[in-house]
Amino acid sequence: MNTEPESTVHDSGLAVPLTADDAHVLGEDAELLAALLGQALHGIALLRAGRASVEDLTEAIERTTELMERLNGIRRAEVREFAAQKGTHGALARAMHLTSRATAQSRRRALLREVPDGMEEWAVGEHDVRQDLGQDWRRD
């Protein structure tokens, strides 16, 4: 898979390296995740520049929270599929940056006992959580 960026970070924006196939499969969700990441990066820039107002921080926290919820759903879906494909506990521990296979095994078991949530369903394309949220995620 070629993930070489077509451009690099510069004054006008940030390129997200995706193959054409990945972009096609993800559709608008790629734009959504890129927008959320961009807003999180903007929040970091405001913090580092010392220019973050309460209003800026409120918006940054909201967008970062949504990004984290979506990333958590993605990881949960990946771990569930990893288990379905009989991935080893050792490989899972390495992927999750855990020092113990037993911890990875425990986390996987706990996940598999739960029903997939909306974000996990969204990650595998079974659910559009934007409709549930009633939000316009394409904020200026």
Side-chain angles (χ1 to χ4, degrees):
M1 172 173 82
N2 179 10
T3 59
E4 289 297 315
E6 295 181 13
S7 62
T8 58
V9 176
H10 49 80
D11 289 340
S12 65
L14 176 70
V16 177
L18 287 176
T19 66
D21 288 342
D22 288 349
H24 177 73
V25 169
L26 294 173
E28 288 185 355
D29 287 332
E31 182 182 342
L32 165 65
L33 290 170
L36 290 170
L37 177 59
Q39 291 164 344
L41 292 172
H42 177 65
I44 294 170
L46 290 174
L47 286 170
R48 290 182 179 182
R51 299 182 324 216
S53 69
V54 170
E55 293 79 19
D56 292 333
L57 292 169
T58 301
E59 180 69 19
I61 291 166
E62 182 180 350
R63 298 295 102 206
T64 303
T65 298
E66 184 176 348
L67 178 60
M68 289 172 28
E69 289 169 349
R70 289 179 185 277
L71 291 173
N72 189 46
I74 293 166
R75 186 169 104 157
R76 290 170 58 87
E78 291 167 344
V79 170
R80 194 175 300 275
E81 180 61 22
F82 184 88
Q85 292 190 29
K86 309 291 188 221
T88 68
H89 296 124
L92 183 59
R94 285 188 299 279
M96 295 175 79
H97 300 177
L98 300 171
T99 57
S100 166
R101 289 178 54 245
T103 302
Q105 181 179 15
S106 174
R107 290 185 185 180
R108 187 179 88 168
R109 281 185 184 153
L111 173 69
L112 295 177
R113 283 193 297 267
E114 299 174 6
V115 175
D117 63 11
M119 287 298 183
E120 191 176 337
E121 290 175 344
W122 165 82
V124 297
E126 295 177 357
H127 187 74
D128 185 356
V129 294
R130 286 174 298 199
Q131 293 172 350
D132 294 345
L133 295 174
Q135 297 174 338
D136 180 9
W137 53 267
R138 290 184 247 191
R139 297 180 189 226
D140 295 333

